[in-house]
Amino acid sequence: MNSIIDKIAEKLTPIAGKLGQNRYLAVLRDAFMLAFPLTMFGSIVVVINNLPFFSSDTQGLLNGLFGNGQNATMSIMTLFVSFGIGYYLTHSYEEDGVFGGVVALASFLILTPFNFTTAEGAEVSGALSLDRLGAKGMFVGMIGAFIATEIYVRIKKKGITIKMPEGVPDAVSRSFASLIPAIATLTIFNLLNALVNGAFETNLHDVVYTMIQQPLVGLGSGLPATLIALFLTQILWFFGLHGQIIINSVMDPIWQTLALDNLDAFNAGNELPHIITKSFMDTFTVGLGGTGMTLIVVVIMAFVMKSRQMKDLGRLAMGPGIFNVNEPVIFGMPVVLNASIAIPWIITPLIVATVNYFAMYLNIVPRPTGVIVPWTMPVFFSGMMATSSIMGGVLQLVDLLIIGTIWYPFLKALDNVYVRQAAEVEAEAIEA
């Protein structure tokens, strides 16, 4: 096993090193880490507000009282990431990062429509929709921030600025120095937004959203379609885009209909017609620790790995992970553009979903009854509730074993790197 782990580390470490030295990937990593404390707070609020033993009335009351804890953090994460990209990218060019950050943030907001349609069909203008500011708008926010910052920095590097005389307060001088580059950058983005709105009568958010959705329209409800949906979800998350929001917007109507068919059959005492349903996806994919099925991953990190970095992140993410909130892992490890864990992140859900499908196809485990189980319900209990059988919970435990087996070599390889880096830092400190 050690030789296999060493071979994996030998192959993956140089790749991870090259990725870590890339300016843009490093900026993206730092921007997500900027949002990490806010994500952790939002995760705690989500867990508390959606504890499975609370009644719907209690959950509604808690969300009304404490929902802004989530709205002000996880729900508007793109704002923090956009600012972080602008800040760190500008700083990497040895320019004033704060102004680069606010220009990147403003550029993203220029591309964001200030209107939306409610669930009842009412048009609301002069307001921002939370989904545009959160994970759904992440791709536009990231790309927009990188482009805006590059434009801003290049103009400033050319010396097209207003220079104030000596004696002017530093804050005033810095502000005027950024004035022309900021105005030029925001003007370009305003013209781009006007072009898209005027020529195509849409916005860049919807253009990106539609382009990703279109290939998914023809997907069906069988195992191949499910594996494609899971694969795309993991790939999109790997590149920093909330895969579930994008993929589920297409697949949820299909999965919900299949769940209702099963529920009708269950209530009538008939054989359940479908395996893949909304209950299957919520309970036997997301219900194993969130997107990517990371509950057992954080347990291994907390209690098996040796590096302080792994242990601390694992213990920190374990609480939310029990209730299937795993943003702390996604943005704390991070998963985004992390080549060292790309393989288990992508293939694990595909393997586990296939195992679960055939376990139900062969009638080893009952099919989901169509009951919608709260997505925050802990593992084992959610499996029993979804299938109305203890075998559903047992299958989830088997899933955890499979997930841990796939992830362990990659976690160990990454852990060895962290241990070696810590030893080198300690040795340098002793020599100093």
Side-chain angles (χ1 to χ4, degrees), residues 221-223 226 255 258-259 262 272-281 284 353-354 356-363 365-369:
S221 60
L223 179 61
T226 303
W255 291 333
L258 298 174
N262 273 20
L272 304 182
H274 308 296
I275 296 175
I276 304 296
T277 65
K278 179 64 174 173
S279 303
F280 179 93
M281 300 306 298
F284 294 99
T354 302
N356 292 340
Y357 180 89
F358 282 104
M360 295 177 184
Y361 180 80
L362 298 173
N363 295 319
V365 177
R367 301 180 180 190
T369 62

Side-chain angles (χ1 to χ4, degrees), residues 59 90 105 132 163 168 186 208 243 253 275 362 386 393:
Q59 289 180 347
T90 304
L105 176 57
R132 304 284 192 185
K163 297 181 180 180
V168 175
L186 297 179
V208 172
I275 296 175
L362 298 173

Side-chain angles (χ1 to χ4, degrees), residues 130-356:
L130 277 181
D131 62 349
R132 304 284 192 185
L133 307 181
K136 187 176 180 180
M138 187 67 74
F139 186 78
V140 174
M142 288 165 50
I143 299 301
F146 276 117
I147 294 175
T149 306
E150 285 290 344
I151 294 173
Y152 170 82
V153 169
R154 291 177 187 277
I155 294 175
K156 198 168 184 182
K157 286 289 188 183
K158 290 183 178 294
I160 308 175
T161 60
I162 298 176
K163 297 181 180 180
M164 301 299 290
E166 294 183 5
V168 175
D170 182 61
V172 176
S173 179
R174 290 164 53 203
S175 181
F176 271 89
S178 301
L179 182 61
I180 293 177
I183 290 176
T185 302
L186 297 179
T187 298
I188 292 172
F189 271 77
N190 211 23
L191 292 173
L192 174 61
N193 185 63
L195 175 64
V196 174
N197 287 341
F200 303 102
E201 297 183 352
T202 185
N203 57 80
L204 280 178
H205 281 257
D206 290 341
V207 170
V208 172
Y209 196 70
T210 301
M211 288 178 63
I212 295 174
Q213 279 186 327
Q214 288 298 323
L216 307 177
V217 171
L219 291 179
S221 60
L223 179 61
T226 303
L227 296 181
I228 292 173
L230 287 171
F231 175 77
L232 292 175
T233 297
Q234 299 305 108
I235 286 290
L236 291 170
W237 262 118
F238 181 75
F239 288 100
L241 187 60
H242 198 305
Q244 279 185 312
I245 287 181
I246 297 170
I247 304 303
N248 286 11
S249 65
V250 176
M251 299 303 297
D252 264 356
I254 298 174
W255 291 333
Q256 290 281 13
T257 301
L258 298 174
L260 291 175
D261 287 344
N262 273 20
L263 187 59
D264 290 341
F266 180 75
N267 291 332
N270 299 328
E271 182 180 353
L272 304 182
H274 308 296
I275 296 175
I276 304 296
T277 65
K278 179 64 174 173
S279 303
F280 179 93
M281 300 306 298
D282 284 350
T283 305
F284 294 99
T285 60
V286 177
L288 297 168
T291 302
M293 308 175 176
T294 57
L295 175 58
I296 191 64
V297 174
V298 299
V299 173
I300 293 173
M301 290 170 61
F303 298 109
V304 180
M305 297 296 103
K306 296 180 179 180
S307 68
R308 179 68 179 272
Q309 183 172 343
M310 282 282 201
K311 286 184 176 293
D312 287 351
L313 179 58
R315 291 168 182 171
L316 194 63
M318 193 179 305
I322 292 174
F323 299 97
N324 304 315
V325 177
N326 70 335
E327 277 81 1
V329 179
I330 291 175
F331 299 112
M333 186 173 279
V335 168
V336 176
L337 297 176
N338 189 343
S340 60
I341 52 91
I343 293 176
W345 173 257
I346 293 171
I347 70 169
T348 301
L350 309 183
I351 295 173
V352 172
T354 302
V355 171
N356 292 340

Side-chain angles (χ1 to χ4, degrees), residues 49-133:
N49 288 356
N50 294 277
L51 287 173
F53 48 78
F54 286 156
S55 66
S56 58
D57 291 339
T58 301
Q59 289 180 347
L61 176 62
L62 290 175
N63 278 295
L65 294 174
F66 304 114
N68 275 358
Q70 176 187 350
N71 294 338
T73 53
M74 294 174 64
S75 296
I76 59 171
M77 183 183 293
T78 297
L79 296 181
F80 308 126
V81 173
S82 296
F83 176 85
I85 290 173
Y87 176 88
Y88 288 113
L89 184 56
T90 304
H91 185 72
S92 73
Y93 286 113
E94 300 182 349
E95 296 288 345
D96 196 332
V98 172
F99 288 97
V102 296
V103 168
L105 176 57
S107 298
F108 164 69
L109 291 175
I110 287 175
L111 299 178
T112 304
F114 278 68
N115 57 75
F116 60 92
T117 304
T118 65
E120 293 75 22
E123 294 289 338
V124 179
S125 60
L128 287 164
S129 174
L130 277 181
D131 62 349
R132 304 284 192 185
L133 307 181

